[in-house]
Amino acid sequence: LEVLDAIFQGDSFRLRFQSVLGRFYDVLGKTDLAGSGTWQVLAVGLHGRGEMLEFLDGTPVSCRFFRVAVRGK
């Protein structure tokens, strides 16, 4: 999985990546990588259609790390 774009867009953070037909994508976020907290689910089951997928995070936090999980057909 290659993240093509990760930028601020207004008050939101935009994450874009190329999807694969028939795959599903979950976006997770965490504000501290050093801590032992769990990843928070931000989006579940984004359906890949072989096109670019976009996720907008409008949650006001000072810092967030993202992880994208890919699930099979």
Side-chain angles (χ1 to χ4, degrees):
L1 176 74
E2 179 183 356
V3 174
L4 302 173
D5 190 282
I7 63 169
F8 279 102
Q9 181 176 329
D11 291 337
S12 298
F13 185 80
R14 181 179 77 187
L15 184 68
R16 294 189 322 163
F17 53 92
Q18 184 67 36
S19 70
V20 174
L21 182 64
R23 302 280 185 192
F24 293 90
Y25 301 86
D26 302 335
V27 180
L28 301 100
K30 191 173 183 182
T31 57
D32 180 9
L33 291 179
S36 61
T38 59
W39 287 86
Q40 177 186 7
V41 177
L42 304 175
V44 175
L46 301 175
H47 185 241
R49 295 184 174 91
E51 302 171 345
M52 189 168 327
L53 282 178
E54 179 174 290
F55 170 75
L56 285 175
D57 181 16
T59 306
V61 294
S62 60
C63 177
R64 188 187 307 265
F65 299 92
F66 293 94
R67 179 166 82 177
V68 180
V70 183
R71 293 186 279 127
K73 297 180 180 183

